Amino acid sequence: MTDVIIIGGGAAGLCCAGHAAGRGLSVLVAEGRERPARKILVTGKGRCNLTNDCAPQEVLKNVCSNPKFLYSALAGFGPADTMALFRGLGVQLKTERGNRVFPVSDSAREVADALVRFARDKGARVVQGKVEEILLENGAAAGVRCAGGAVYRAPRVVLAAGGMSYPGTGSDGSGFRLAEAAGHTIVPPRGSLVPVLCKEGCCAGMAGLSLKNVTLSLWEEGRKKPLFRELGELLFTHQGVSGPLVLSASALMRKPAGCYRLAIDMKPGLTPEQLDARLLRDFGDSPNRDLGNVLGALLPRAFITAALEAAVLAPDRKVREVTREERGRLGAVVKAFPLTPSALGPVEEAVVTAGGVKVSEVDPKTMASKLVPGLYFAGEVLDIDARTGGFNLQLAFSTGYAAAMGL
């Protein structure tokens, strides 16, 4: 018998465990994998973007699902609190572009180890056990049953089992099944922060091409203004595009992929007029060369064929033969290279999972279930998700803390 059982030893679960144990509660963390905090190891390309150095209000602006639900949680434990926690654990931090916060070591393992140490040093006990059932007695939480038959009893249970992204880390959707079996509504899970598959065959030819300092725009059918427009990095894949810009844009694609279009501005620092002057200058220097060869000074070599194809120009066309109208077409493609989304990547490949436990069934101040006394939620198992930049881990820490204080 213990005071609290936390299902899931990830960011939300361990944060909750450390703070709950720090309040004097006896805490047991049931983690299905051999090692806790495995998903943290793959965040930020193994560097772990653990939060964003901004005000709680700025975090809310970057939340895609149910930002109002998170107001109290972020007010109680915001980015400054997260940074103070990890600095107190001996993790030196640095802030990079976009206020993204990383460990100075660039090691996600340092962050994961610090979080496990925080929970254990405060007195929480971490056991390996895949929870198969939340035990209910008289309609209230009473403990858990794990695979193999092990039963742990407690009057309070925190479900922090993650979503469905990167199932190999333990985030395999089991939390949704446990919540549903306890009587909660699950908003259908879907991938958020995922690669975008595109119809254009040229993507395969550019697979591996990484673009920096480009602007990506996302347009929704029927809207005059872009849903998303940011400067940054993206990557071409065999089936479409990925990278930080694409992942952020994908979080806003809540309708079928065919309702959207993407455009890449390869030269965001140049106006259309300045770009045309640059093309005229390059063309004037090499009037007898093939068009495909002259563009190497302006565009990445792997991109040139696709750009010319989109502008309906032959790569072996002599520069001196290019008309003003054709040069205008090429300039338009460079400023807005078009891509047509066909689908989002699968949820298993997503950085985070959108969807999950319906937040109207959860108390936003304590993360307590409104349906099952003694049941609480934290992290990605809830229907919350945000854009890239450390915001999703911050939501895990904020809801984990809120649950710990609400126990």
Side-chain angles (χ1 to χ4, degrees):
M1 189 73 180
T2 188
D3 292 329
V4 184
I5 294 170
I6 298 173
I7 305 171
L14 291 172
C15 183
C16 181
H19 284 106
R23 294 181 57 207
L25 298 171
S26 58
V27 178
L28 183 143
V29 179
E31 165 56 40
R33 306 290 296 187
E34 184 177 345
R35 177 189 173 88
R38 283 180 62 90
K39 191 173 180 182
I40 288 178
L41 299 178
V42 300
T43 60
K45 296 180 181 177
R47 298 174 61 218
C48 190
N49 179 192
L50 56 95
T51 189
N52 192 282
D53 188 5
C54 66
Q57 293 82 356
E58 193 63 29
V59 178
L60 289 170
K61 291 178 184 177
N62 285 275
V63 174
C64 302
S65 300
N66 302 306
K68 290 182 180 178
F69 171 79
L70 293 159
Y71 182 86
S72 293
L74 281 162
F77 195 86
D81 301 297
T82 296
M83 290 187 284
L85 171 65
F86 281 98
R87 285 186 178 123
L89 293 169
V91 180
Q92 291 183 292
L93 304 177
K94 60 181 177 179
T95 302
E96 298 186 357
R97 182 178 58 83
N99 295 323
R100 291 167 164 84
V101 178
F102 294 88
V104 170
S105 64
D106 284 331
S107 170
R109 184 171 294 280
E110 183 186 12
V111 175
D113 289 347
L115 204 52
V116 174
R117 188 170 66 251
F118 169 60
R120 286 182 167 147
D121 286 354
K122 290 293 183 180
R125 186 160 65 102
V126 181
V127 299
Q128 185 180 0
K130 179 72 172 176
V131 174
E132 293 189 337
E133 181 186 4
I134 297 173
L135 302 177
L136 303 177
E137 291 180 2
N138 299 317
V144 301
R145 181 179 57 80
C146 296
V151 172
Y152 299 97
R153 297 254 173 204
R156 284 160 287 187
V157 174
V158 181
L159 182 51
M164 296 177 67
S165 310
Y166 298 117
T169 65
S171 182
D172 58 4
S174 59
F176 300 144
R177 295 188 289 274
L178 291 171
E180 195 168 36
H184 274 272
T185 306
I186 302 300
V187 177
R190 62 190 183 283
S192 182
L193 307 182
V194 284
V196 176
L197 312 186
C198 298
K199 294 181 179 179
E200 286 76 13
C202 63
C203 292
M206 292 187 282
L209 172 63
S210 178
L211 301 177
K212 296 183 178 181
N213 299 316
V214 298
T215 296
L216 179 70
S217 298
L218 171 71
W219 301 81
E220 184 181 338
E221 195 176 79
R223 286 178 176 256
K224 293 183 179 179
K225 292 184 178 181
L227 277 180
F228 172 92
R229 177 172 285 161
E230 270 190 19
L231 176 74
E233 303 176 19
L234 64 79
L235 172 73
F236 280 95
T237 69
H238 283 92
Q239 294 180 293
V241 281
S242 186
L245 285 177
V246 175
L247 299 185
S248 287
S250 73
L252 304 175
M253 298 172 67
R254 302 298 166 123
K255 296 180 180 178
C259 297
Y260 302 94
R261 58 187 174 88
L262 294 168
I264 304 171
D265 184 348
M266 296 291 292
K267 296 294 173 182
L270 300 178
T271 65
E273 294 75 20
Q274 289 170 331
L275 176 60
D276 189 56
R278 166 70 186 272
L279 287 171
L280 272 173
R281 186 169 65 252
D282 289 354
F283 288 3
D285 291 341
S286 307
N288 296 314
R289 295 183 67 193
D290 290 349
L291 186 55
N293 294 328
V294 169
L295 293 174
L298 181 69
L299 300 170
R301 180 64 57 184
F303 186 82
I304 292 174
T305 300
L308 291 174
E309 185 177 308
V312 197
L313 288 168
D316 59 355
R317 187 177 177 83
K318 297 300 179 183
V319 167
R320 66 176 182 274
E321 298 172 353
V322 177
T323 66
R324 179 179 179 182
E325 187 271 337
E326 289 172 332
R327 194 177 70 245
R329 289 206 311 263
L330 177 59
V333 165
V334 173
K335 291 295 291 179
F337 182 77
L339 289 171
T340 311
S342 58
L344 295 181
V347 66
E348 292 81 9
E349 295 178 9
V351 176
V352 295
T353 306
V357 175
K358 194 173 185 179
V359 297
S360 62
E361 300 173 353
V362 180
D363 184 323
K365 293 182 179 179
T366 63
M367 299 297 133
S369 167
K370 295 179 180 179
L371 309 180
V372 183
L375 180 60
Y376 298 76
F377 300 96
E380 199 177 350
V381 74
L382 290 160
D383 182 20
I384 55 173
D385 66 285
R387 293 167 64 179
T388 57
F391 301 111
N392 285 287
L393 268 178
Q394 181 59 52
L395 298 189
F397 298 137
S398 295
T399 54
Y401 179 85
M405 295 300 107
L407 290 167

